[in-house]
Amino acid sequence: MEEVTRVLDSSTSTLEEKERATDQLLLLLSHEDKHPSNSGELPSVPQTVKQCVGSLIQLPCATQPDLRQKVQAVWAKLVSQFVLTTEEGKTQASESFDNMCSEYIIPLIVSEDPEEEVNGLLFFSILCQTHKDLANSLILTAGALDRLIEMSKTTQDTSDKEIKRLSTEILSYVMADPLVRKSIVKDGGVDALFVLAESGPLDVRGRALSALGKLAAQDEATASSVLRRRTLLKELGPLLQSEGPSQTWGIEAMVFLSLHGEIKMQLLKEHPELVEGICKVRSSDLGVLYGTAAIILNLCRSAADKQEVKSKNLDLDSEQMAELQKLMESLPEAARPARNGVIDAGEVKVVSSLRALLIEYGAVKTLLSILQAFEHPSASLLSIVTEAMLLLANDRQNHGRMLQQGGAKVLVRLAYQESEVVARQASQALAKLWISCNPSLLPEAIVIDSIRPLLKLLKGDKELLQFESAMALTNIASANDEMKERIIAEHGWSDLQMLIFSDNVQLRRAGTEALTNLSTCETMLEKLASGKGTNDIKVFIAMSQSEDLPTANAAAGALAMLTQIPEISSIIVEESGIDAILAALESSDNGLQHRALVCLQNLVQEPKYAIVIRTKIATRKALKVLNSLKSSTSPLGQLAATVARTLTTTTSSSS
């Protein structure tokens, strides 16, 4: 280490020798892991390392790009050894490291010597990325922030261009801190950033736009002054379609800008080409792809969606959430939880139109390709993609195109993830798709793989998810007998039957409709005919008398199909099914009357049932209804006439 320091300090050392010494220093640091294994103590900075830092800051990095890159690598390694990350994601370092940074960095930044400034900025940029709490603290001391803003305005030679790039980059990093944002707004930094965004080199524009995107969250006044400047989105277009660092910064800028409803409105009305550009971003940089997914999610989310997510996280209903909001507003300012920014995510109508535009430009394909680019997608990426898909599925108009773009395929994959939240959201999105789309249009394997996640939703305690799942399963069961059998094999019958006992009328209806569609599969017919499903038949008889007409119609529909099977008909009659059928006939609802007539037509083919029906109907309102209906020439009247005629014929011949 001493020899390296000697070479770096020597005025007689050539540039090549200093570059080799820098490489050697990086190698030495790589072999000296300062992190304690289990002690939990923060590592102190040895004197030898401080000497190396003192030597590094004297190197001519401003005018030597290769050397600058090597020194930046040394800074990164140095910081990684002395900065620890806690379980909560906070960064911390020893007092000796903090003091070293304060001693060496701030004097360099406030210096007016280009070489010193570049060295200070290089180190500070690394610090912003690895120990942001210290970076934010340092930037607010000794005039560093003011100097940073001044440096970002430089327009002179090569070293000044590097200073401009680095200073703008640091401004973007530190902008996450509300105190920094407040100071920048107060000191006129907004205009300086706009100048950089509009007229700076391409690699500087992205950094400036990123800083402005974060700055817009400071408060409503700042958001208004930043977001209504139309140059923001105009400058972003070339960055999104570029490559390398410029694209990376453009994506980061868009991640923050896309949070705001004002930007969503501008994209929709003035810059739809940018929405298309976002959906067509191509890059081998996984960070760019991750950011693209985050942008799509932001554009899909309205202010109402954000509130709904918050209420779900707190497990509150809308009424409770409103009460909580009132309580928070009534608290004194000092007693309210700290907020790092204010964001209006936009109106539902605007965001819904934006979702349709995203679908038009292939957003689902984009999300699928992003997932495929990651060998092992992180939990956060899976969460981003899943929520975006769910929000896109909220609008029924998008469902067809979502399926065309592979939406069901990606959602099935996500529905089997270990994360409970990801699996639940993906399953809900699947439910929304299968409620409205024809399952016969997709490969059977995808539909079959959807069944288990949908049934899992039924077992939860969220009524909306149970309802949507039941509706989806009803539609899937209507596709063919194989789908019915698959649902039964996954214990879907008992899961759906649990909904029948819910206090929620819509859940009872959805459960009844699903069971009706399943009742005609071979497995269920065999069970019902064998006498092992008597309780299931009782459920249909009971639900056919429900006050909710759709529920009654569904149950009566099941009875209409089941009365075609003699073995099942006998059980229906034994369980007072005829009384329920006649009650349905007495209804004023034509659909219910039609189903009752089909049941009667099936039953009266058997003389002993015809006699029972004739005896019962004679003392009921049902006889009057039957006679009234048969006088009509409508299909319902013709069916009633057939039933009456068959009833008369069968009972006459049997007597």
Side-chain angles (χ1 to χ4, degrees):
M1 191 76 78
E2 288 84 356
E3 177 61 20
V4 170
T5 305
R6 187 192 65 75
V7 174
L8 293 174
D9 283 341
S10 175
S11 59
T12 60
S13 298
T14 64
L15 178 63
E16 186 176 343
E17 288 173 332
K18 290 187 176 186
E19 286 186 357
R20 283 202 300 269
T22 306
D23 286 336
Q24 190 176 0
L25 178 57
L26 181 60
L27 188 62
L28 287 170
L29 288 171
S30 298
H31 289 296
E32 292 186 20
D33 187 0
K34 300 298 180 183
H35 281 175
S37 55
N38 295 312
S39 67
E41 296 178 3
L42 297 170
S44 297
V45 183
Q47 188 61 35
T48 52
V49 172
K50 290 182 181 179
Q51 290 173 349
C52 285
V53 170
S55 302
L56 285 170
I57 62 177
Q58 304 301 322
L59 295 177
C61 293
T63 55
Q64 302 297 329
D66 290 342
L67 181 60
R68 182 167 63 240
Q69 189 173 2
K70 293 175 185 294
V71 170
Q72 198 164 11
V74 172
W75 288 144
K77 187 62 184 176
L78 189 66
V79 172
S80 72
Q81 290 193 346
F82 294 99
V83 176
L84 301 179
T85 302
T86 66
E87 292 181 358
E88 297 78 22
K90 293 283 187 179
T91 54
Q92 53 185 189
S94 66
E95 186 178 352
S96 64
F97 180 84
D98 291 357
N99 290 340
M100 183 189 74
C101 293
S102 181
E103 178 182 349
Y104 287 113
I105 296 179
I106 299 302
L108 293 177
I109 290 179
V110 298
S111 166
E112 295 189 4
D113 179 274
E115 292 288 358
E116 291 185 351
E117 287 176 335
V118 169
N119 282 324
L121 292 171
L122 280 173
F123 195 179
F124 202 89
S125 176
I126 297 295
L127 193 65
C128 286
Q129 299 171 64
T130 53
H131 193 2
K132 62 181 181 180
D133 294 335
L134 176 59
N136 292 338
S137 174
L138 290 176
I139 204 69
L140 292 169
T141 62
L145 185 57
D146 292 339
R147 182 62 187 143
L148 207 59
I149 294 173
E150 285 301 314
M151 285 192 285
S152 69
K153 300 177 183 178
T154 57
T155 58
Q156 303 299 318
D157 55 26
T158 304
S159 62
D160 285 337
K161 289 179 181 177
E162 187 62 23
I163 289 172
K164 180 194 289 285
R165 183 185 69 80
L166 284 169
S167 58
T168 310
E169 180 175 304
I170 291 170
L171 283 172
S172 177
Y173 285 140
V174 299
M175 205 68 75
D177 188 280
L179 294 177
V180 175
R181 295 198 301 264
K182 183 178 180 180
S183 184
I184 286 178
V185 171
K186 181 182 176 183
D187 295 341
V190 177
D191 289 335
L193 287 169
F194 265 108
V195 170
L196 292 168
E198 294 167 3
S199 58
L202 196 63
D203 59 347
V204 171
R205 291 185 195 181
R207 291 164 170 81
L209 286 166
S210 174
L212 286 167
K214 298 172 186 176
L215 186 61
Q218 178 62 14
D219 51 47
E220 291 182 7
T222 305
S224 179
S225 66
V226 171
L227 300 176
R228 293 184 181 178
R229 297 272 284 266
R230 263 37 186 184
T231 51
L232 276 176
L233 294 181
K234 180 182 176 183
E235 299 298 337
L236 263 176
L239 291 167
L240 295 177
Q241 300 308 316
S242 62
E243 297 179 352
S246 295
Q247 184 188 43
T248 301
W249 283 100
I251 289 291
E252 178 171 309
M254 195 61 188
V255 168
F256 289 99
L257 290 170
S258 60
L259 291 166
H260 300 275
E262 174 64 31
I263 293 297
K264 293 171 187 177
M265 177 72 79
Q266 291 178 33
L267 284 169
L268 188 63
K269 292 189 173 182
E270 302 170 24
H271 294 283
E273 77 283 354
L274 276 184
V275 180
E276 182 178 13
I278 290 162
C279 292
K280 293 184 177 178
V281 165
R282 298 293 180 266
S283 177
S284 58
D285 185 335
L286 297 183
V288 167
L289 297 179
Y290 184 98
T292 301
I295 292 168
I296 292 174
L297 171 58
N298 290 343
L299 295 179
C300 288
R301 190 191 277 157
S302 68
D305 295 319
K306 281 185 65 179
Q307 190 75 357
E308 184 178 346
V309 169
K310 188 184 293 185
S311 65
K312 283 181 179 177
N313 290 339
L314 295 173
D315 200 20
L316 301 176
D317 59 31
S318 57
E319 226 174 87
Q320 292 170 322
M321 198 66 198
E323 287 300 317
L324 178 60
Q325 189 70 26
K326 286 181 184 177
L327 174 62
M328 298 303 294
E329 291 172 357
S330 68
L331 291 174
E333 187 69 32
R336 297 179 191 177
R339 297 176 63 186
N340 188 358
V342 177
I343 293 174
D344 176 4
E347 298 177 1
V348 172
K349 185 177 180 181
V350 171
V351 172
S352 179
S353 299
L354 203 48
R355 289 174 189 160
L357 195 60
L358 284 163
I359 289 291
E360 182 181 337
Y361 290 134
V364 173
K365 277 186 178 179
T366 303
L367 292 171
L368 179 56
S369 66
I370 289 172
L371 275 184
Q372 291 171 339
F374 287 77
E375 185 176 356
H376 301 290
S378 66
S380 58
L381 177 62
L382 292 172
S383 178
I384 286 170
V385 172
T386 307
E387 187 179 349
M389 291 291 290
L390 177 56
L391 290 171
L392 288 168
N394 277 342
D395 301 325
R396 192 168 183 145
Q397 63 187 15
N398 298 334
H399 291 178
R401 281 185 169 175
M402 287 184 72
L403 289 184
Q404 291 170 6
Q405 294 175 28
K409 181 180 179 181
V410 67
L411 285 170
V412 164
R413 173 186 171 185
L414 292 167
Y416 285 89
Q417 292 295 320
E418 289 184 6
S419 166
E420 186 178 336
V421 174
V422 167
R424 184 178 66 246
Q425 289 185 331
S427 300
Q428 185 181 9
L430 274 174
K432 290 178 183 292
L433 292 183
W434 292 133
I435 286 172
S436 65
C437 296
N438 184 352
S440 302
L441 299 178
L442 264 74
E444 281 193 351
I446 293 177
V447 185
I448 289 170
D449 286 342
S450 302
I451 292 172
R452 188 174 296 174
L454 292 174
L455 288 172
K456 190 173 180 180
L457 289 183
L458 286 179
K459 298 173 184 176
D461 57 358
K462 304 294 183 184
E463 290 189 340
L464 175 61
L465 302 188
Q466 292 175 319
F467 174 76
E468 290 178 331
S469 173
M471 294 288 287
L473 289 165
T474 300
N475 197 27
I476 289 175
S478 68
N480 54 51
D481 285 343
E482 183 181 356
M483 296 302 167
K484 293 182 177 72
E485 294 290 352
R486 287 281 183 165
I487 295 172
I488 296 296
E490 293 288 346
H491 309 291
W493 184 273
S494 57
D495 291 339
L496 287 162
Q497 202 169 56
M498 291 301 296
L499 301 185
I500 301 297
F501 305 103
S502 169
D503 293 332
N504 186 317
V505 64
Q506 290 187 316
L507 281 183
R508 292 200 299 272
R509 180 192 306 169
T512 305
E513 289 173 348
L515 292 173
T516 295
N517 275 14
L518 292 174
S519 64
T520 56
C521 73
E522 185 176 347
T523 297
M524 283 310 302
L525 289 177
E526 288 179 359
K527 177 184 177 182
L528 296 174
S530 69
K532 296 178 181 178
T534 300
N535 287 335
D536 301 311
I537 292 174
K538 287 180 179 179
V539 166
F540 284 128
I541 292 172
M543 298 313 289
S544 72
Q545 300 174 75
S546 170
E547 293 181 359
D548 178 61
L549 282 176
T551 300
N553 268 292
L559 294 174
M561 293 183 288
L562 296 175
T563 48
Q564 298 177 71
I565 314 297
E567 295 86 351
I568 300 176
S569 291
S570 65
I571 298 173
I572 291 174
V573 173
E574 288 172 11
E575 298 299 332
S576 304
I578 291 177
D579 290 322
I581 292 168
L582 293 177
L585 179 61
E586 293 169 352
S587 163
S588 59
D589 180 73
N590 288 344
L592 203 51
Q593 290 175 333
H594 179 269
R595 289 161 176 78
L597 289 170
V598 171
C599 289
L600 292 173
Q601 177 63 11
N602 291 334
L603 291 173
V604 295
Q605 306 303 319
E606 174 61 45
K608 61 181 178 179
Y609 300 151
I611 293 172
V612 174
I613 292 169
R614 187 178 180 97
T615 302
K616 287 180 175 290
I617 201 173
T619 59
R620 296 183 61 127
K621 176 186 173 184
L623 180 60
K624 183 178 180 181
V625 173
L626 182 64
N627 290 331
S628 174
L629 288 174
K630 72 178 184 181
S631 62
S632 168
T633 57
S634 66
L636 187 63
Q638 294 172 13
L639 179 57
T642 302
V643 169
R645 185 169 53 254
T646 307
L647 185 60
T648 302
T649 304
T650 306
T651 52
S652 298
S653 60
S654 63
S655 33

